[in-house]
Amino acid sequence: MPKINGNEIRPGNVLEHNGGLWAATKVDHVKPGKGGAFAQVELRNLRNGSKLNERFRSADKVERVRLEQRDQQFLYETDGMLVFMDGETFEQIELPAEILGERRPFLQDGMTIQIEYHDSEALNATLPQKVVCTVVETEPVVKGQTAANSFKPAVLDNGVRIMVPPFVGQDEDIVVDTAAMEYSERA
């Protein structure tokens, strides 16, 4: 595995540190008035989800890990486990439903998601950037309410509550940004 300097760490990098695999979620470069500069890095453990704040000086060397990304198709959920199938080898794997966190409701039958592997261990799962959902409940349009920044609450077919523009009505299909969990556009 390649070693990188402490000042080369970027958000999204996966590092081997203290015997575990950590994803850098936030990196701040700090140059105090006295002493050398350092990178203040917020890390998230890929195996158990714990967080850690660590300082890395530019002279510190850390192991950067490359994860293998594979597209896998969601088949079904059973006893809190999500079952995925590799499209090329047709191998099936089970991952805990918690791996998707609060984005779990956006997972749909047959959806292809990206799973990141280290050796043969699945560590992370990423939903597509945009997902089409149906609005099942929202307030009716109020005539004359055309302010540019006005949004109204809506409930989607998967039970998630988001804010939508006033022109979106009930039973309409919309595109939802899964990273920000907000309305993107009409479908």
Side-chain angles (χ1 to χ4, degrees):
M1 286 180 278
K3 284 196 178 266
I4 61 172
N5 293 333
N7 61 349
E8 296 174 0
I9 299 171
R10 302 284 175 260
N13 285 3
V14 177
L15 311 171
E16 188 165 321
H17 180 65
N18 291 349
L21 287 176
W22 301 82
T25 55
K26 196 172 164 187
V27 179
D28 289 323
H29 292 280
V30 181
K31 186 169 184 338
K34 188 173 168 182
F38 59 87
Q40 181 73 37
V41 183
E42 187 176 293
L43 301 166
R44 182 179 56 83
N45 190 310
L46 292 175
R47 291 193 173 104
N48 62 22
S50 63
K51 292 196 175 196
L52 173 72
N53 276 315
E54 197 74 54
R55 284 183 176 181
F56 294 100
R57 302 212 174 275
S58 61
D60 295 342
K61 298 277 188 202
V62 289
E63 295 268 346
R64 182 167 173 209
V65 179
R66 295 242 183 240
L67 297 180
E68 180 188 350
Q69 298 178 334
R70 290 189 220 151
D71 287 339
Q72 306 223 319
Q73 183 179 11
F74 173 64
L75 298 178
Y76 58 91
E77 182 175 2
T78 176
D79 297 328
M81 299 297 278
L82 305 174
V83 180
F84 297 94
M85 179 181 68
D86 191 309
E88 295 170 17
T89 63
F90 301 106
E91 280 182 39
Q92 292 186 8
I93 63 158
E94 285 188 1
L95 295 174
E98 296 87 51
I99 199 164
L100 292 174
E102 61 186 14
R103 287 157 184 70
R104 164 64 188 98
F106 291 108
L107 185 64
Q108 300 165 351
D109 288 342
M111 180 181 277
T112 300
I113 72 165
Q114 199 171 61
I115 297 181
E116 294 177 328
Y117 287 88
H118 179 261
D119 295 331
S120 61
E121 179 186 12
L123 293 173
N124 199 6
T126 310
L127 286 172
Q129 182 71 32
K130 298 187 187 270
V131 176
V132 176
C133 297
T134 305
V135 175
V136 293
E137 183 183 313
T138 187
E139 299 166 2
V141 178
V142 177
K143 197 166 176 75
Q145 185 182 15
T146 56
N149 294 3
S150 66
F151 281 83
K152 62 183 182 179
V155 179
L156 303 177
D157 54 354
N158 56 14
V160 175
R161 294 180 164 278
I162 66 167
M163 299 299 280
V164 296
F167 57 79
V168 174
Q170 195 164 321
D171 299 326
E172 267 190 66
D173 288 340
I174 61 169
V175 177
V176 178
D177 182 338
T178 57
M181 290 184 67
E182 60 187 26
Y183 170 86
S184 178
E185 61 193 358
R186 278 185 165 160

